[in-house]
Amino acid sequence: MSILSKLRCITVDVTGTLMAYKGELGDYYCMAAKSVGLPCPDYKRVHEGFKHAYKDMAQKYPCFGYAAKMPNIVWWKTCVRDSFIRAGYDYDEETFEKVFRRIYASFGSSAPYTIFPDSQPFLRWVREQGLQVGIISNAEYRYKEVILPALGLNEGSDWDFGVFSGLEGVEKPDPRIYEIALERAGNLPPEQVLHIGDSMRKDYVPAKSVGMHALLLDRFKTTDAEEWRKSGAIVLPDLMGAKEWLLSDKSSF
């Protein structure tokens, strides 16, 4: 008997599992600067600046400012301004406002993302088996309301419920985000739910800690995958591999 018959819900991570970033951060910052007649910022400096600015904002105002009741656009404006300043670009207020609006609009659309070809077929197949599909993501509200639908992943036809850190005020690897998912699934017992993600720390460990099953995808041939396997995790190349595994009589948790 396959594992599938024991499950009533499958939850999935988003970035690295269902979709990936397209191009580099610098591409979008460059396009925004050029749109107001500015030279293209240095990619490496902007990338480094963003990494530090994002980490700083995530520590000060986690979950995109949820607890501080900070509007999403204000959180990102602060982060983007700091990214540019750290990279050595201190634009005047009017110029920065124009550049930021372009960046904010870009990352609130489908433009910077590419969906893996097996994502929608897998989600629809899971729902056809009579299982619920849940999304669990450390993302802001635009993923739910704009970005996933723009990529063709719609609530109701591709997934049943979503748990997004910017809307819940809790983020992976906090196990509470998985407990929220179990509630959304109708208070299912955790042993009837499987979580699929691409991070041992954020996906596998916390999902297992609340009693859910878990497996990891290694879409990009990461050097960490061997360690994941050694620690006992099921590691598969993609969602088609996950489907085959779920249907296999030899599959086991």
Side-chain angles (χ1 to χ4, degrees):
M1 192 166 68
S2 73
I3 285 294
L4 196 64
S5 60
K6 300 178 183 178
L7 300 174
R8 291 177 62 193
C9 176
I10 293 178
T11 60
V12 288
D13 166 54
V14 176
T15 307
T17 303
L18 295 178
M19 71 179 196
Y21 288 106
K22 192 163 58 181
E24 296 182 51
L25 182 83
D27 293 330
Y28 302 96
Y29 279 50
C30 182
M31 283 190 290
K34 281 185 170 181
S35 72
V36 298
L38 293 169
C40 189
D42 182 275
Y43 273 38
K44 188 174 180 182
R45 279 160 45 199
V46 164
H47 184 73
E48 284 301 308
F50 176 80
K51 275 202 306 186
H52 292 294
Y54 186 91
K55 185 178 179 182
D56 191 46
M57 283 299 288
Q59 287 175 342
K60 287 180 182 173
Y61 305 102
C63 301
F64 306 96
Y66 180 91
K69 294 184 168 56
M70 181 183 286
N72 191 71
I73 195 167
V74 174
W75 194 96
W76 279 112
K77 185 180 284 189
T78 309
C79 182
V80 172
R81 179 182 279 287
D82 191 26
S83 301
F84 276 119
I85 290 171
R86 287 171 185 261
Y89 303 96
D90 195 358
Y91 302 130
D92 65 73
E93 192 61 40
E94 185 181 349
T95 303
F96 172 72
E97 184 68 30
K98 290 175 183 173
V99 171
F100 169 72
R101 289 282 173 178
R102 176 72 179 258
I103 291 169
Y104 189 71
S106 292
F107 282 94
S109 73
S110 61
Y113 315 100
T114 180
I115 187 168
F116 295 114
D118 59 359
S119 294
Q120 188 182 67
F122 177 78
L123 298 181
R124 293 195 171 184
W125 171 77
V126 171
R127 296 182 82 244
E128 285 165 6
Q129 309 313 302
L131 278 67
Q132 292 185 73
V133 170
I135 302 286
I136 304 178
S137 176
N138 283 355
E140 35 124 329
Y141 80 94
R142 292 185 298 171
Y143 268 51
K144 178 182 181 182
E145 296 180 12
V146 183
I147 296 167
L148 288 176
L151 290 166
L153 296 180
N154 295 291
E155 188 172 7
S157 57
D158 301 299
W159 48 282
D160 299 287
F161 65 89
V163 186
F164 299 88
S165 62
L167 292 170
E168 309 295 342
V170 59
E171 61 189 5
K172 300 186 286 185
D174 191 327
R176 286 182 298 160
I177 200 166
Y178 292 92
E179 291 169 349
I180 293 170
L182 291 172
E183 290 170 14
R184 295 274 160 83
N187 293 307
L188 286 179
E191 62 270 16
Q192 293 181 353
V193 184
L194 165 69
H195 179 66
I196 302 174
D198 71 326
S199 167
M200 174 64 84
R201 186 176 73 87
K202 294 181 180 179
D203 293 301
Y204 189 87
V205 171
K208 294 281 280 187
S209 77
V210 301
M212 291 166 64
H213 303 292
L215 64 83
L216 292 169
L217 297 190
D218 179 29
R219 288 191 183 272
F220 303 107
K221 305 289 187 289
T222 174
T223 53
D224 295 330
E226 199 48 47
E227 288 303 313
W228 299 346
R229 290 187 181 93
K230 284 179 183 175
S231 67
I234 296 153
V235 184
L236 301 167
D238 51 33
L239 287 170
M240 285 302 98
K243 177 181 175 180
E244 289 170 17
W245 182 82
L246 284 163
L247 289 171
S248 168
D249 290 340
K250 296 175 183 176
S251 60
S252 63
F253 289 117

